[in-house]
Structure formats: structure tokens, C-alpha cells
Amino acid sequence: MLSQAFGAAPSLAWMQLGCAVLAVSTAAVAFRELPDVPPLLLASWRLQATSVLLAGGACYQGWREGPELLARWVHALPLMFVSGVCLAAHFGLWVWGLQNTSMPHSLLLVCSTPLLLSLGSLLMCFPTSLGEIGSSILGVLGVWLMAADVSAKNDVTWYGDLMSLGAAFFFIGYMLVGHQLRQWMPLFLYAFPVTFTSAVVLALTSTVVEGAGMFTDGTAHGDRGYNAGIVGWTLDSRSFMLVAYLALGPGIIGHTGFNGVLRTLSPLVVSISLTFEPLIGSLLGWATGFAAPPSWLTGVGGAILISAIV
């Protein structure tokens, strides 16, 4: 499948996809640099900053386009809202999972979207090839081996793993809507409202669930005293620099890059490319001291899971 897609898509799209994978692979390490910020709030910070960067491009493209496309864009706003909610759930669950399980587990499970697509087709009795059935069985075996590795010693928890797997599920909706709308919609006119919606949804959810205020919740989080407010990332230089990096690197180069290639590549191909993220992200986590070397159960289970996905 990948060889057929490679021949059909322009080489520039593959280069853009490769840069996007490298960029998003650094996100876990950057998120781990802010361990005391509540997860939903931290995810909102990242998407707020990305929205700021996308706003200029959206305004420019909106100014250049004709009234017919803009009318079509207005009619597509409900779909973009759905995509934004899916993106909010994806980021909220993943950051929560990342803070509550090991980095290799979180990265492996959040990239299992192709496996979930195959399992969904199988459960809903859609036409499914023997290869897809075999991949689904292998994937379940890989997840089972990783689940058997749950222990306090290696920072692995079943609930952190479950949240990371849930993040992969919601990524499906985000990719499917993006593939449909990006066939005709300019990149920034799509990416900005979706990202802004997800930032607002996460901020409101954090207000209810985590007690976040506008600038602070009245308490200091951790030794560095982070401001756990909706716009708290703008109040100290360290948080600002990390969130700005998350917005520019994993945000613009990464996720906006994925949206850019969805015009010529299928969501399944883009999802499969993300199987490189656990390897790159785990190596970066180990090199920076945020992740211990994975156990043999995680190593074997992760290798089986990636084999099933590919």
C-alpha cells in the first residue's frame, strides 16, 4: 500500500510528511518539561499558541479567496467544530496519559490509529482482507504484552495506557474530517478554526475539571511555581518558550504539516507514518533523562504493535 501511495503522491508531500513526523516526535519531551501543569490545561496552552501562529495565514487566505469558497467554508464550520472537538480529546487524553504512564507506552499507544481503524472495520463487518485480520490479531497481542508490563517500578499504569489509547481513537475523527475538507479548503482556513476550537474546548474543560482560572488558580504548582491559568503560559519566560516551541515545531511543522499532505495522501498513510514517532520520541526521552530504557515486554509488544500497524 505504501509503495502504491509513494508512486501516486508528489515527492514534496513525502518530504513534508517526514519533517512533520520528526517535529511531532519531540513533543513528548517538551511536554515532560512542564510536569506540574495540569494535563488538560497544558494541552490547551499548546493549541492556544498554535492558533496564534495560524491566525495570520487564515486571515490572508480568507482575504484572497472569492465569495463562493468563503460561503462553502461557512457551511463547513460544523464539520470543523467536530474536528476541533476530536483534536481536543486527542491532545487532552494524550497529555494526561503521558503524565501518568511511561513515555514509550504513551507514544506507542497514541500511534495505534491504523490498528483501531482495522479493528473497527472488522467489528462492523465491513469487507476486511486476511492481512487486515492478521494485523488486528497481532496488534491486540502487542497491546496485551505492553499491558502486562504495568508496574510502579517503570512508571507504567493501566489508566495512563488507556488514556493514550483513547487519544489514538479520537485522532481518527480529526484525520477523516481533515482529509474530506482539505480536498478543496485552503490549509490555514482549515487549520486555524479547528485548532482554535480545540484550544477553547480544552480551556473550558480545564476550568471545570482542573479549576483553572484566567491567569492562575491561586496555587503554585511544583517547585517552579507555574501559573496554572488559561493564559498562564504567557506569564513566565520558561513556560512561554516551551509552549512557543510546541506551537512552532510539533504544531506548525508537525500537525499543520499533516493537514497539508492530506490533500494528496490518505489518512491511513499519514497514520502509518506516525509509527516512527514512538521510536524517535522514546530515544529522545531516554537521551534527555525523561524515559528509562523500555523493558523487554514493552520492547517486544511495541515491535509487534508497529509490525501490525505497518
Side-chain angles (χ1 to χ4, degrees), residues 25 28 94 98 102-111 277-278 281-282:
S25 298
W94 178 54
L98 187 64
S102 73
M103 186 181 292
H105 269 226
S106 182
L107 289 172
L108 283 164
L109 291 170
V110 80
C111 294
E277 183 184 356
S282 295

Side-chain angles (χ1 to χ4, degrees), residues 40-60:
L40 300 180
L41 182 63
L42 182 55
S44 176
W45 284 2
R46 186 268 203 223
L47 292 163
Q48 288 175 44
T50 305
S51 298
V52 172
L53 296 178
L54 292 170
C59 291
Y60 176 72

Side-chain angles (χ1 to χ4, degrees), residues 13-30:
W14 289 100
M15 292 175 60
Q16 185 176 352
L17 182 61
C19 291
V21 171
L22 289 174
V24 298
S25 298
T26 66
V29 171

Side-chain angles (χ1 to χ4, degrees), residues 11-275:
S11 57
L12 183 61
W14 289 100
M15 292 175 60
Q16 185 176 352
L17 182 61
C19 291
V21 171
L22 289 174
V24 298
S25 298
T26 66
V29 171
F31 276 125
R32 282 290 183 95
E33 286 281 355
L34 295 168
D36 300 308
V37 180
L40 300 180
L41 182 63
L42 182 55
S44 176
W45 284 2
R46 186 268 203 223
L47 292 163
Q48 288 175 44
T50 305
S51 298
V52 172
L53 296 178
L54 292 170
C59 291
Y60 176 72
Q61 288 184 337
W63 174 70
R64 289 194 60 187
E65 296 297 336
E68 291 184 3
L69 187 140
L70 292 178
R72 193 178 179 187
W73 178 83
V74 170
H75 282 94
L77 284 174
L79 265 181
M80 286 187 279
F81 177 79
V82 171
S83 182
V85 171
C86 288
L87 184 62
H90 165 74
F91 268 110
L93 290 173
W94 178 54
V95 177
W96 199 95
L98 187 64
Q99 292 185 351
N100 288 276
T101 194
S102 73
M103 186 181 292
H105 269 226
S106 182
L107 289 172
L108 283 164
L109 291 170
V110 80
C111 294
S112 62
T113 298
L115 172 63
L116 295 179
L117 285 169
S118 297
L119 282 173
S121 298
L122 190 62
L123 292 173
M124 297 179 71
C125 300
F126 291 157
T128 308
S129 67
L130 288 176
E132 290 172 328
I133 294 174
S135 295
S136 298
I137 295 172
L138 274 177
V140 170
L141 175 61
V143 172
W144 180 81
L145 285 173
M146 293 174 64
D149 193 30
V150 171
S151 72
K153 182 179 179 181
N154 53 15
D155 297 325
V156 176
T157 66
W158 67 266
Y159 48 88
D161 284 3
L162 184 62
M163 293 301 103
S164 298
L165 192 61
F169 172 79
F170 282 102
F171 196 69
I172 295 173
Y174 169 66
M175 294 295 287
L176 290 177
V177 175
H179 181 64
Q180 176 183 342
L181 295 181
R182 280 288 294 127
Q183 300 303 310
W184 60 271
M185 189 178 295
L187 176 59
F188 290 101
L189 283 179
Y190 170 75
F192 170 69
V194 169
T195 305
F196 181 74
T197 297
S198 59
V200 172
V201 168
L202 282 166
L204 293 175
T205 306
S206 178
T207 301
V208 175
V209 176
E210 298 169 338
M214 179 57 69
F215 298 102
T216 180
D217 64 354
T219 61
H221 289 262
D223 296 333
R224 296 189 179 97
Y226 292 112
N227 295 289
I230 292 175
V231 293
W233 62 278
T234 64
L235 301 181
D236 69 89
S237 58
R238 188 172 186 276
S239 295
F240 180 84
M241 293 301 295
L242 285 167
V243 173
Y245 170 75
L246 283 166
L248 182 60
I252 299 297
I253 299 175
H255 275 265
T256 305
F258 292 140
N259 285 322
V261 301
L262 281 174
R263 185 187 290 266
T264 52
L265 296 174
S266 74
L268 184 58
V269 170
V270 174
S271 298
I272 289 174
S273 73
L274 284 170
T275 57

